[in-house]
Amino acid sequence: MRIFLDTADSEEIRQAVRWGVCDGVTTNPSLFAKVSDRAGSYKERVQEIAAIVDGPISAECVSRGADELVAEAREIASWHPNVVVKIPIDGAGLEAISRVSGEGIRVNTTLIFSTNQALLAASAGAAYVSPFIGRLDDIGQDGVSLVAEIVEMLDRYHSPAQVIAASVRHVGHVSACAAVGAHIATLPFKVLQAMLQHPLTDKGIASFLADWDRAQAQRRERAESAAGR
């Protein structure tokens, strides 16, 4: 399973790239709003991200009509060859997905909450479908089960569309999505950080270092004792 970072924060992306675990980035207007106090437009931020990570960069449309979505998708796609256009699933979105996919523009269909929505998006030509698992969990449904259903459906019919597990809230979501075959999970940086951590790892490192320091101290003591003879 590939790992994308769900952020518009370029510093978070740089860190993930240094770790060697950032295969792409997803952004949206809400994520950009968190960093909008910094210099630059949304276009400039997306282009900056594309210069940091060599992978798909999802940038979201905010228009609502089909014609407006098509025009906006064409504009966003022109920003960089790695840009993937995010379009929410509804009637206007589905029409736009079909039209721009036919032009060779890659689309990430977002706000997927059912297998039927994923089927329609994939049939219309979307390159990616993004089920929002955390938001489903919030209303008592099983988001990971939806990911599993969509993966099985797309694989059964040999669809080229890939599943991006989105709205990931915690490390359990990540491992569960990997277990059911999600092609990609897009993660907040805090979840990526949490994946690194385990109390036994911290305890083990501390123990190894303490043993090393003790062994070095004993070696010095023996050397000093031998020199004093």
Side-chain angles (χ1 to χ4, degrees):
M1 184 177 73
R2 290 186 291 163
I3 295 175
F4 287 6
L5 209 58
D6 193 35
T7 185
D9 189 318
S10 55
E11 291 308 312
E12 292 179 347
I13 297 165
R14 287 189 177 94
Q15 180 61 71
V17 168
R18 287 195 293 269
W19 286 340
V21 293
C22 184
D23 299 303
V25 173
T26 57
T27 70
N28 60 44
S30 297
L31 292 171
F32 178 65
K34 293 179 180 179
V35 297
S36 60
D37 57 327
R38 306 173 196 177
S41 64
Y42 186 44
K43 175 182 177 179
E44 290 168 335
R45 178 51 56 97
V46 169
Q47 290 174 329
E48 179 185 355
I49 292 169
I52 298 169
V53 57
D54 184 17
I57 313 298
S58 288
E60 189 154 352
C61 293
V62 295
S63 301
R64 296 308 319 127
D67 290 342
E68 292 80 4
L69 277 168
V70 168
E72 186 179 8
R74 289 168 177 162
E75 167 61 23
I76 290 174
S78 74
W79 293 350
H80 192 277
N82 287 350
V83 167
V84 176
V85 178
K86 287 177 76 175
I87 298 177
I89 184 72
D90 63 5
L94 198 62
E95 179 181 339
I97 291 165
S98 177
R99 290 166 61 181
V100 302
S101 295
E103 298 174 7
I105 293 173
R106 292 177 297 164
V107 175
N108 173 4
T109 306
T110 188
L111 292 172
I112 295 283
F113 292 102
S114 74
T115 306
N116 284 331
Q117 289 178 324
L119 174 61
L120 291 172
S123 297
Y128 305 95
V129 295
S130 291
F132 275 42
I133 62 176
R135 296 193 191 187
L136 281 172
D137 287 358
D138 289 345
I139 61 170
Q141 297 184 22
D142 188 347
V144 173
S145 292
L146 175 62
V147 171
E149 290 174 7
I150 296 172
V151 169
E152 181 181 2
M153 175 189 68
L154 296 179
D155 285 350
R156 177 174 296 173
Y157 295 107
H158 307 290
S159 170
Q162 295 190 325
V163 178
I164 302 178
S167 185
V168 171
R169 301 283 174 78
H170 50 72
V171 295
H173 274 157
V174 181
S175 55
C177 287
V180 300
H183 304 99
I184 301 156
T186 185
L187 318 177
F189 186 67
K190 65 180 181 180
V191 174
L192 183 64
Q193 288 178 306
M195 290 174 68
L196 276 170
Q197 299 166 358
H198 194 283
L200 291 179
T201 301
D202 297 338
K203 182 179 180 180
I205 291 173
S207 176
F208 292 155
L209 292 176
D211 289 344
W212 175 256
D213 290 343
R214 183 164 52 252
Q216 294 305 301
Q218 291 171 347
R219 184 184 64 80
R220 287 193 298 270
E221 289 174 2
R222 288 195 296 269
E224 291 169 358
S225 176
R229 292 175 184 171

